[in-house]
Amino acid sequence: MTEPVWGPVHQDIVGLLADHPADVPAVVDHLTKLQDLLVRLPPLEESCPLADFNKLYLVITSTVLDGLYDDRFCDPAFLARLDVEFAARYFEALRFWSDSSPSTPKAWSCLFKRMRGPDARPLPSAAAGVNAHINYDLPFALVTTFDSLESEPIDGSDQHRDYLEINKIFAERIPELRRGYLDNWQLMIDMVNGDIDDWYQGELVEYTRNVAWRNAQKIWRCRHDPDARECERMRLDDNAALLGRLLLSPLGAFLQ
């Protein structure tokens, strides 16, 4: 008999994923509960590669929620809806993987496959998850959000400014998050490099999110053409999967 995908916590994770968060506090609650389950997943347990990404995602989403409470955004309804749609794609990928479905995006599969080993270092694992979520999920989450709000992705709009504000949240949280993934010897190198690594990571996130915005605009223009939309989906999935495999490779781990 084949062992369940999530081992001893399979039913707990499947039960959690059966619920669909409807607002940002519910997304944070889901990510928190998922994190508690992922760190119990054998054989890697505390060093589960997916837990490394989920921890980062939880921190960023919690900061977004704080920003919504603090009136940080021009259009909180847009930002809240985008956050929910964005998370929905991550949870959908997890549901596909739970069912061993061939519909699991390739961008996510390369990380999910590492949950049974070989072990992957925390920083490359987190980076691979960020890659899948931003390069593959985010453009479609943007299109779904704009469609539901009867708006569109326009440069310079309040929605675009709020989207760019998330870059600042990444910049604020990256130093703490990145150092949390490093071994002692890496921390020593990090001290020598000063703020260079933090700056580089921030610039990389900003660039990647800008590309996601452009891809969303491209998908928006063909959103009523199923064939063209599917072509874009496959292109983004293939590209993100290629980068994800590189990030998780020995070369990718060394470069990080």
Side-chain angles (χ1 to χ4, degrees):
M1 183 176 179
T2 304
E3 184 179 4
V5 169
W6 304 108
V9 296
H10 185 83
Q11 290 305 319
D12 292 326
I13 290 182
V14 168
L16 178 65
L17 295 173
D19 188 24
H20 298 255
D23 54 31
V24 183
V27 171
V28 171
D29 182 66
H30 262 57
L31 292 173
T32 301
K33 291 176 179 175
L34 181 60
Q35 186 69 17
D36 292 340
L37 293 169
L38 290 174
V39 296
R40 294 161 46 197
L41 182 64
L44 304 178
E45 296 184 342
E46 290 291 341
S47 63
C48 170
L50 183 56
D52 293 325
F53 162 72
N54 195 80
K55 178 175 67 174
L56 180 151
Y57 189 23
L58 173 58
V59 169
I60 297 298
T61 307
S62 297
T63 308
V64 171
L65 180 58
D66 291 341
L68 289 168
Y69 287 146
D70 295 338
D71 296 324
R72 180 169 182 169
F73 306 107
C74 301
D75 188 346
F78 160 75
L79 216 289
R81 184 58 183 258
L82 176 59
D83 195 280
V84 171
E85 295 293 343
F86 193 32
R89 297 189 65 85
Y90 172 49
F91 295 135
E92 180 183 61
L94 290 168
R95 280 191 288 272
F96 281 140
W97 187 254
S98 300
D99 296 335
S100 300
S101 170
S103 297
T104 306
K106 289 181 283 187
W108 280 111
S109 293
C110 60
L111 178 60
F112 294 164
K113 289 175 181 177
R114 300 300 290 267
M115 289 187 294
R116 294 290 181 177
D119 200 359
R121 282 186 17 216
L123 184 56
S125 298
V130 170
N131 161 64
H133 208 25
I134 293 180
N135 285 322
Y136 178 66
D137 290 339
L138 186 52
F140 293 99
L142 280 163
V143 169
T144 303
T145 298
F146 280 114
D147 198 32
S148 67
L149 297 177
E150 299 182 345
S151 183
E152 57 184 296
I154 300 174
D155 291 353
S157 62
D158 284 348
Q159 293 83 10
H160 189 217
R161 283 189 285 272
D162 283 343
Y163 181 81
L164 296 177
E165 187 69 20
I166 302 300
N167 294 345
K168 298 179 183 178
I169 288 177
F170 270 98
E172 292 165 7
R173 304 310 303 263
I174 277 176
E176 166 199 356
L177 285 166
R178 191 175 60 79
R179 290 181 180 88
Y181 293 122
L182 301 181
D183 296 325
N184 288 337
W185 66 271
Q186 293 171 307
L187 286 170
M188 293 179 63
I189 295 175
D190 187 74
M191 289 176 62
V192 173
N193 288 341
D195 295 331
I196 292 176
D197 289 337
D198 295 334
W199 172 83
Y200 166 74
Q201 293 288 343
E203 289 293 307
L204 185 59
V205 168
E206 181 174 344
Y207 171 79
T208 303
R209 295 188 80 255
N210 286 341
V211 171
W213 178 266
R214 298 299 173 208
N215 281 325
Q217 291 176 319
K218 187 175 182 180
I219 297 167
W220 180 261
R221 291 190 290 270
C222 69
R223 67 192 184 282
H224 299 308
D225 183 338
D227 291 338
R229 183 183 170 107
E230 176 61 13
C231 184
E232 282 301 299
R233 189 201 67 76
M234 292 176 62
R235 178 182 70 85
L236 294 180
D237 195 16
D238 287 341
N239 290 345
L242 181 64
L243 181 55
R245 288 191 291 270
L246 174 61
L247 290 168
L248 290 166
S249 70
L251 174 60
F254 173 77
L255 292 175
Q256 295 174 72

